[in-house]
Each structure stands twice: as structure tokens, then as C-alpha cells.
Amino acid sequence: MEEIKDRFKVKAEELGAEIKEILKTHGKKKIGEVTLSQIYQGMRGITGLVTETSLLDANEGIRFRGYSIPELQKDLPKAKGGSEPLPEGLFYLMLVGDMPTEADVNMLTANWQRRSHVPNYVFDTIEALPVSAHPMTQFVVGIMALQTGSQFAKKYAEGMNKKDYWSATFDDTMDLIARLPRIAAYIYRRKYKNGDHIQPNGLLDWAGNFAHMMGYNDESFKELMRLYMTIHADHEGGNVSAHTTHLVGSALSDPFLSLAAGMNGLAGPLHGLANQEVIKWIFEMRKELDVELPTKKQVETYVKKTLGEGKVVPGYGHAVLRKTDPRFSAQMEFGKKHMPNDPLVKTVWRIYETVPDILSSLGKVKNPWPNVDAHSGALLVHYGMVEYEFYTVLFGVSRALGVLASLCWDRALGFALERPKSVTTELVKSWLDGKEEIWEG
Ligand code: HAX
């Protein structure tokens, strides 16, 4: 068996035994309580999921297996001559739970290179769509075309023992992650570069090769991709893309079906599509004002106009975070290092100086600070990637690392079919009148 698979198996058996013991002793212990507002308003703050790969703190931001983003940037192995972490290392950390060595990361790079072949029918399936189709639609269709090769689906149909679910999930996970950059790059070149495709380079790391296949060979763009693929990978379990992948996987839908479902959620403007919305919004602002770098006053006026039209300010706010997203800060640092004088990047920083006060003054926005999506587009535009409709696909390739590592854990720990109780407002009213007890679903 592959080394990483072996190590994962050992860790999963250990944790599985521990959880059994915890549930035996403490299974009836209560975690918090649920209010009526919570069930009507997006289940905010209800602890109802276990996700091993990362944990989000409202003030500190995300930690992957206990490591913050600056710690990952320091401790994860880097590409030769580079200073940003290799996403292979983050995947190893999320899956196995230990900080990888350089050899572990090289092993993963080689493993994904070996698995990266995408059958022609996948490209043919994408080609059947009009070029005008949104890149996320093409991406999900590509994932669905790959599903025909699912080991999990094949073995399940042959009568796989439930003890082996994790193994088939692991194999599909590795195949999927290995192939996603090729599919994403294919979509990019198909839609924006007249179908002039670029063959993979077997000597490059996963994110470096992705940059190369999209047609970006600048070393600092490759560094950006390594950082981008690392910071977008996971945000604990309750966000729409992670939760959807987990939920669909709980029906024993294979990893391809589960990831495709999660990616459909990522394609929503309140979630991953916000990265395209941010740049679209800034481009519109610059066009309307006819300036390259708007003043604070001009930004203020434009933000108020956006709010007045009943729209959200994209890239600001969060369902859990209550401070500036450390993923925003990591990108700001990258900008300061590589392109401190870029007018679009400076516009993002000016918006950052302006928007929080305005959103706070509305009195209803729980988090006026920027999230991950407020910054990413401006860095990409700097290198010439101006096609903002593609940005969510980049997010999706990265997000696959976290949600698929989690799916491996779901199957290894034998997590159950997800099936919370729902109620009708009729029943709620009857309960409020003291006529019915409804909560023991
Ligand atoms: N601009 C204007 N109004 C905002 C706002 C923003 N950026 N963020 C929140 N609000 C409003 C909400 O629309 C809501 O208004 P109503 O009561 O009139 O419906 C009110 O403030 C309270 O919302 P909240 O509790 O602060 O925020 P939610 O948890 O409901 O929603 C969102 C969190 C991220 C969806 C929200 O902040 C938003 O729409 N932001 C803009 C879109 C965005 O950047 N999304 C990406 C989020 C990060 C992510 O998932 N990336 O992939």
C-alpha cells in the first residue's frame, strides 16, 4: 500500500477507537442548545458536525490541525527557491494529522503526477458545452465526467465490505486531486485562449504545474498559486462547500458525486463566487469613476450606492469570522512583497480602509471585515489573469484538498447518514401554544 495511505489507516484506527470510547462514556452529554432563531436563520452557531481537518475561531481565523496560516507559511515544505508552502504538504497535514517532511511532500507530488491522466472523454464532455458556459458549470461537468472512473462506485456495486469504504474513498480522492488542475486549466485555455492547450510538465509540483498548464510561467505566479491553493483549502466543516460534500458523501455517494455537489455550492455568490464578484465590482467602480485608483471619498460614495441598490459589498462579512480574515492578510502580505505599487491591489487596500466603518454604521452587519475573496482577484489580475469568471474554479481546485481529506475521515470513522430533523411553521406555532411537543425527532 502507499505510504500515506498506510499512515492514514493507522491514524484513523486510533481515532476511531478513541471516539468509540468517548461516545460510550459521554454520548449523552449535551453541547449547547438550539433556539428558534437558529433554525430559521441558517443554523448559525449550532454545533452539529465533526470535521477533523481544520477549526475556525471567530477572532483568530482558521487553523489547520492547530496551525495558523503564518505558521503553515513557516513550517510547511517549500518548492526549490520558493518561500510559499506547497499545498501537497497541507493535504498531508489535513489527512494524516502530522506536519510533513520534504520527503512526504515529494512523495505526494510524484503520486499525483502518476495519477494525473485525464481520459479524452472528459475533455469531449466539456467540449459538448457552449464555450459561453460559466467556468464553474464546465468544472462540475468535468468532475461528473470523471465520475465514471470512481473506484468507490465500482467496488460498492461489486459488494464492498463497509470496512473498505475508506480505502476506495482514499483512492478516488487522490485521483480527483491529481486530475482537477488539468481539467481546470483545460477549461481556462478553452474559454479564454482559443483552445490552445498546454501539456502538463511532469517535473513541476502540483500548483506549479497548474500555473504552467494555464499558461503562467512567471515564478512569482507559481508562488501565488502555491499560497492560493493552501489558504483556500479548508474552513472547517459548516461552510456550504464543505458541508455539502460531507452531506452528499454521507449517503455513500462516491467522492466525485460529493465533490461535484460541494462545487455547486461554492459557485454561489454568497460563497466562492464572491471572488469574481469582488473584481467585477471594482472594475465597474473604476469604469464609472473613470479613475485607476479611486480616493477614499470616491470609494465611500460607491459603496453607499451599492448598498442603496440593495446589494451586498462583495468580499466583506462572514458567517463565523468577526475580524479581518487571516487569508486576506496573507494575500495582502504577498501583494506588499511582490507588487506594492499595483493600482488595483492598492484599490483593494483602499477599500479595506473604507468599507468596515460603513458596514459597521449599518448596525446589522455582524462582521464588517474583509474575507478571503476581497483580495484574491487583484493579485491574479496583476499577472494578467483578468478573466474573473474563472476565479471560483481556482478556489474549487484548492477546496477539493480539504473537503476530500475530510471525506476520507468520514468514511474511515464510519460517520452516519446525515439526517437532521426539520419542522413546519404550523408545528412551531402549535408548540408555542403549548399544544405539541416536537423536539424529539
Ligand atoms: N454587504 C452588505 N450587507 C451585508 C454584508 C455585506 N458585505 N454582509 C452582511 N450584510 C447584511 C446581510 O445581508 C444581512 O442583512 P439583512 O438582515 O437585511 O438580510 C445582515 O447584514 C446580517 O448578516 P450577517 O449576520 O452579518 O451575515 P450572514 O452570516 O447572514 O452572511 C455573508 C454572511 C458572507 C453571506 C455576508 O456577509 C455577505 O453576503 N457578504 C458578501 C458576500 C461575500 O463576500 N461572500 C463570501 C464569504 C466568504 C466565503 O464563503 N468565501 O467563499
Side-chain angles (χ1 to χ4, degrees):
M1 212 191 287
E2 293 148 291
E3 234 169 290
I4 181 170
K5 194 171 182 181
D6 265 338
R7 289 181 203 171
F8 172 62
K9 183 167 186 274
V10 171
K11 295 279 183 165
E13 281 168 357
E14 277 170 16
L15 187 63
E18 227 178 304
I19 291 174
K20 219 168 163 183
E21 211 37 54
I22 291 172
L23 289 180
K24 209 167 105 192
T25 321
H26 304 289
K28 293 219 168 352
K29 214 164 172 178
K30 292 204 167 122
I31 297 185
E33 51 185 35
V34 178
T35 65
L36 206 47
S37 306
Q38 284 174 308
I39 68 164
Y40 273 98
Q41 292 168 346
M43 298 196 280
R44 289 300 180 284
I46 299 178
T47 302
L49 292 167
V50 174
T51 303
E52 304 293 350
T53 47
S54 66
L55 187 65
L56 181 59
D57 179 274
N59 293 308
E60 271 203 355
I62 192 69
R63 279 183 181 268
F64 302 82
R65 296 284 189 177
Y67 292 92
S68 67
I69 286 173
E71 285 165 353
L72 291 183
Q73 284 176 294
K74 189 169 131 304
D75 294 347
L76 280 177
K78 322 276 186 298
K80 248 199 187 77
S83 57
E84 296 301 343
L86 286 166
E88 286 91 328
L90 177 69
F91 177 76
Y92 185 100
L93 177 68
M94 289 190 291
L95 187 81
V96 178
D98 298 331
M99 188 52 79
T101 62
E102 216 169 296
D104 295 330
V105 163
N106 291 340
M107 177 178 74
L108 259 181
T109 302
N111 190 319
W112 289 349
Q113 283 279 4
R114 270 200 309 281
R115 292 174 182 263
S116 64
H117 174 73
V118 174
N120 272 335
Y121 64 80
V122 174
F123 299 127
D124 293 345
T125 309
I126 293 170
E127 288 294 340
L129 291 167
V131 177
S132 60
H134 192 280
M136 278 305 278
T137 306
Q138 301 194 39
F139 188 52
V140 171
V141 166
I143 294 170
M144 287 307 299
L146 271 182
Q147 190 272 343
T148 52
S150 167
Q151 292 291 316
F152 187 97
K154 180 168 173 278
K155 290 185 174 155
Y156 192 88
E158 290 165 359
M160 168 167 56
N161 187 313
K162 62 163 80 163
K163 287 198 181 71
D164 298 325
Y165 289 170
W166 75 271
S167 171
T169 300
F170 174 90
D171 288 332
D172 279 354
T173 288
M174 296 289 273
D175 284 346
L176 248 169
I177 293 173
R179 293 167 194 180
L180 289 176
R182 180 94 167 92
I183 291 180
Y186 186 91
I187 293 164
Y188 182 69
R189 303 291 303 181
R190 171 177 191 243
K191 193 167 167 78
Y192 303 113
K193 305 290 170 187
N194 294 318
D196 180 12
H197 296 293
I198 298 172
Q199 289 306 307
N201 177 344
L203 299 174
L204 287 171
D205 56 284
W206 183 74
N209 191 29
F210 185 22
H212 158 77
M213 288 187 287
M214 289 187 289
Y216 294 87
N217 278 306
D218 186 320
E219 202 41 51
S220 78
F221 185 86
K222 289 193 181 121
E223 280 287 271
L224 174 62
M225 273 303 102
R226 291 169 190 135
L227 175 67
Y228 190 113
M229 292 294 131
T230 299
I231 63 177
H232 286 79
D234 210 31
H235 219 221
E236 74 170 33
N239 66 78
V240 171
S241 52
H243 189 188
T244 307
T245 307
H246 165 81
L247 167 68
V248 174
S250 86
L252 298 185
S253 305
D254 65 57
F256 296 84
L257 298 170
S258 306
L259 181 70
M263 291 299 105
N264 281 318
L266 192 74
L270 295 190
H271 190 20
L273 204 81
N275 60 7
Q276 85 163 40
E277 295 301 286
V278 167
I279 283 301
K280 189 168 162 236
W281 180 76
I282 298 178
F283 282 173
E284 282 165 5
M285 167 164 64
R286 296 209 306 187
K287 194 166 166 215
E288 189 169 313
L289 299 170
D290 199 22
V291 289
E292 202 172 36
L293 178 58
T295 62
K296 236 183 122 177
K297 189 82 207 137
Q298 286 173 315
V299 171
E300 203 178 297
T301 309
Y302 197 78
V303 167
K304 287 183 177 157
K305 179 174 170 253
T306 301
L307 293 170
E309 288 165 353
K311 299 182 206 159
V312 293
V313 179
Y316 282 76
H318 200 273
V320 180
L321 277 170
R322 294 297 175 255
K323 288 271 167 68
T324 295
D325 191 334
R327 302 172 297 175
F328 176 91
S329 308
Q331 296 179 90
M332 194 163 167
E333 288 310 311
F334 189 95
K336 283 183 187 161
K337 184 171 162 194
H338 294 272
M339 58 204 72
N341 297 314
D342 182 298
L344 188 66
V345 172
K346 282 167 94 170
T347 303
V348 166
W349 299 343
R350 191 149 288 169
I351 294 167
Y352 181 34
E353 290 165 19
T354 315
V355 167
D357 281 348
I358 302 175
L359 290 182
S360 296
S361 73
L362 298 180
K364 64 171 184 179
V365 181
K366 295 198 190 67
N367 176 36
W369 302 104
N371 58 57
V372 66
D373 299 314
H375 210 310
S376 53
L379 301 179
L380 296 165
V381 171
H382 176 81
Y383 293 100
M385 189 181 269
V386 293
E387 305 90 353
Y388 51 74
E389 279 198 345
F390 185 72
Y391 295 170
T392 312
V393 175
L394 294 178
F395 195 157
V397 173
S398 168
R399 184 48 58 98
L401 298 173
V403 300
L404 290 173
S406 278
L407 205 62
C408 290
W409 277 100
D410 291 350
R411 296 291 75 77
L413 297 174
F415 281 173
L417 175 77
E418 193 174 304
R419 192 8 179 136
K421 176 86 184 92
S422 73
V423 291
T424 60
T425 300
E426 206 45 49
L427 197 54
V428 168
K429 286 194 292 188
S430 174
W431 169 72
L432 289 172
D433 288 343
K435 290 189 192 138
E436 290 197 64
E437 276 303 323
I438 54 175
W439 308 115
E440 300 298 324

